């Protein structure tokens, strides 16, 4: 998988996580490499998606990540700065 994961790839990885018992943000953050490797049928690209899920969940940007967009708050600040001439 080159570049960014598609929404379908992200959902596939989420299903693997749910099936393996990782069904909360806390459990997702507690996953280390050893636990990730124990997930059935996990692939290297899946591991990358899991790390991105962890990073974006921790930063409060999970919805933006899943949707393929960027942080909405950053977009709004940019528009505010344009309006005020900053």
């Amino acid at each position: 998988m080159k570049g960014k994961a598609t929404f379908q790839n992200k959902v596939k990885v989420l299903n693997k996580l749910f099936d393996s018992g990782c069904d909360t943000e806390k459990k997702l953050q507690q996953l280390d490499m050893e636990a990730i490797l124990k997930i059935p049928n996990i692939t290297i690209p899946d591991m990358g998606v899991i790390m991105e899920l962890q990073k974006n969940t921790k930063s409060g940007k999970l919805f933006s990540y899943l949707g393929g967009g960027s942080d909405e708050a950053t977009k709004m600040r940019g528009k505010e700065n344009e309006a005020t001439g900053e």
Side-chain angles (χ1 to χ4, degrees):
M1 176 174 56
K2 290 189 176 192
K4 294 184 180 184
T6 65
F7 182 74
Q8 289 80 12
N9 293 116
K10 295 171 190 176
V11 170
K12 178 185 76 160
V13 173
L14 284 171
N15 282 321
K16 287 182 182 183
L17 288 168
F18 298 151
D19 290 345
S20 69
C22 180
D23 55 3
T24 66
E25 290 85 352
K26 184 176 180 179
K27 289 178 184 177
L28 178 65
Q29 290 304 315
Q30 292 174 341
L31 282 180
D32 59 7
M33 188 56 67
E34 184 177 343
I36 292 171
L37 290 171
K38 290 180 182 176
I39 298 171
N41 301 315
I42 199 74
T43 65
I44 292 173
D46 291 348
M47 291 179 204
V49 172
I50 291 171
M51 287 186 264
E52 287 295 317
L53 285 167
Q54 289 174 322
K55 180 175 75 173
N56 286 287
T57 300
K58 190 173 185 176
S59 68
K61 299 177 184 177
L62 182 60
F63 193 75
S64 296
Y65 168 70
L66 290 174
S70 59
D71 183 26
E72 291 297 319
T74 302
K75 286 183 184 178
M76 292 306 295
R77 279 194 297 270
K79 288 181 181 179
E80 290 170 0
N81 289 345
E82 287 176 10
T84 60
E86 292 179 19

